[in-house]
Amino acid sequence: MSEPFFFAFSTAPTVGDIAELIGAEFDAALADRRIRGLAAIERAGPQDLVYYDNPRYADELARTRAGACILRGDARARIPDGVAALVVDHPYRAFARIAAHFVPESLRAAPIFAAGVSPRAHVHSEARLEPGVDVEPGAVVGAGAEIGSGTLVGANAIIGAGVRIGRGCVIGAGASLFYALLGDRVVVHPGVRIGQDGFGFALGARGHLKVPQMGRVIVQDDVEIGANTSIDRGASRDTIVGEGAKIDNLVQIGHNVVVGRHCVIVAQVGLAGSTELGDFVMVGGQTGVAGHLRIGAGARIAAQSGVMRDVPAGASVGGTPAQDLRQFLKGAARDRRAARAGKEKKS
């Protein structure tokens, strides 16, 4: 980084220190070189660490001025002379480990204004906070709420009555949580809405009758929820987000949805009510999934898909309506060829 104002290295490790942390092969002659920051490969200077994990950036790798680069063995010959090569099997994961180790504050959804409970926060007398909870100015914690040690409640966040939040969590500024139970190490980014009414109405010719939403939202351990995402509480059963799931910004999760363990849901996805995702499902950005469907474990859904039927475990689908991804791509290629042929005939 050219100006590491917000996120600076906590120490100045050597190349040897970094190699030991990530288990990398390297040239021992460069072991004592000091690294003082992380940078993009094209902007790095001689005291910066970078990583290379995508052939699109081969030209940038060949020109980099970095002090050290994490990369795979087959790319080692491409780096300029004098750059310390740190060879690993998975460069991106290794880079993430380095960043987390030497810039730990970057893992928080927001910086802490001040430790402890701010006098400008409103914490109900019947709320229960373990030692080590930070509550920032303007935050509200309702009656009977429980918050575990090491958790940060950001400025102007609202924790509703009876909500339970585990240990080591981060609740970002302006988030609101109602009718929800959160596990440990959950990260809720600013503006997230959890536990509001699901969209439930009994339709009728003379008007639509609102159906009471009497479930909860259960968020298990190590979940991360991106900014301005909404997760509705269940109607007759709970909405559940499984352990380790990673949810991007601006995602809508409807009532009674079950998201399996370690799913990845990218920005602007909409999951309609009562849909169930198995473990390790990946859903590309701007995808819409109809209600009451089952997406099998390990399935992958391409960006901008419209899913209207169940998806088998391990399948890859794309398009609207979603179909086998290979068939979808073949069809798109046929359409492009037909369009070109039509233009050539007209000309």
Side-chain angles (χ1 to χ4, degrees), residues 1-298:
M1 281 171 272
S2 56
E3 302 215 12
F5 179 78
F6 294 107
F7 301 109
F9 262 34
S10 55
T11 63
T14 65
V15 168
D17 295 333
I18 293 170
E20 182 178 0
L21 180 62
I22 60 176
E25 297 177 14
F26 72 108
D27 182 354
L30 301 175
D32 294 333
R33 176 176 294 174
R34 293 283 174 182
I35 298 297
R36 302 184 185 277
L38 307 174
I41 195 167
E42 71 278 8
R43 301 187 63 182
Q47 293 185 322
D48 289 328
L49 173 69
V50 301
Y51 76 96
Y52 173 76
D53 199 25
N54 188 326
R56 286 176 179 266
Y57 300 99
D59 291 343
E60 286 82 353
L61 175 64
R63 295 192 297 264
T64 189
R65 297 174 56 247
C69 179
I70 303 171
L71 73 177
R72 292 189 178 87
D74 59 5
R76 189 171 193 165
R78 300 179 188 174
I79 65 172
D81 292 339
V83 178
L86 295 162
V87 179
V88 297
D89 291 334
H90 302 287
Y92 190 40
R93 288 182 65 89
F95 187 82
R97 286 184 61 193
I98 292 297
H101 185 82
F102 291 108
V103 196
E105 66 271 21
S106 65
L107 293 175
R108 301 191 72 89
I112 300 176
F113 291 150
V117 178
S118 168
R120 290 188 288 158
H122 180 80
V123 179
H124 196 280
S125 60
E126 295 180 8
R128 293 182 288 278
L129 278 60
E130 289 186 340
V133 172
D134 299 310
V135 184
E136 293 182 343
V140 177
V141 181
E146 299 180 7
I147 303 177
S149 62
T151 289
L152 165 67
V153 179
N156 298 319
I158 301 175
I159 310 301
V163 168
R164 297 176 192 171
I165 300 173
R167 294 172 177 164
C169 297
V170 176
I171 310 301
S176 61
L177 281 65
F178 301 100
Y179 310 103
L181 308 178
L182 276 64
D184 296 334
R185 300 173 301 279
V186 173
V187 176
V188 175
H189 285 269
V192 166
R193 306 297 177 208
I194 295 178
Q196 61 283 335
D197 272 9
F199 191 69
F201 297 89
L203 307 184
R206 296 187 178 182
H208 311 312
L209 181 65
K210 186 175 182 65
V211 177
Q213 307 290 293
M214 297 176 289
R216 306 168 297 179
V217 176
I218 310 296
V219 180
Q220 296 179 356
D221 295 346
D222 300 304
V223 169
E224 184 154 349
I225 302 170
N228 296 316
T229 282
S230 294
I231 304 178
D232 296 341
R233 71 176 183 267
S236 55
R237 56 186 175 88
D238 295 329
T239 301
I240 300 173
V241 180
E243 174 188 358
K246 309 302 180 189
I247 301 171
D248 200 358
N249 303 335
L250 295 168
V251 170
Q252 161 65 23
I253 296 179
H255 61 192
N256 302 340
V257 166
V258 176
V259 174
R261 297 177 305 126
H262 305 290
C263 290
V264 175
I265 303 174
V266 185
Q268 298 183 353
V269 165
L271 302 178
S274 299
T275 286
E276 296 185 14
L277 275 60
D279 297 342
F280 290 94
V281 168
M282 299 183 69
V283 185
Q286 296 186 330
T287 289
V289 182
H292 303 275
L293 299 184
R294 292 192 176 187
I295 313 299

Side-chain angles (χ1 to χ4, degrees), residues 301-323:
I301 301 172
Q304 295 189 325
S305 296
V307 182
M308 302 177 187
R309 295 180 295 182
D310 292 349
V311 176
S316 295
V317 301
T320 301
Q323 57 184 293

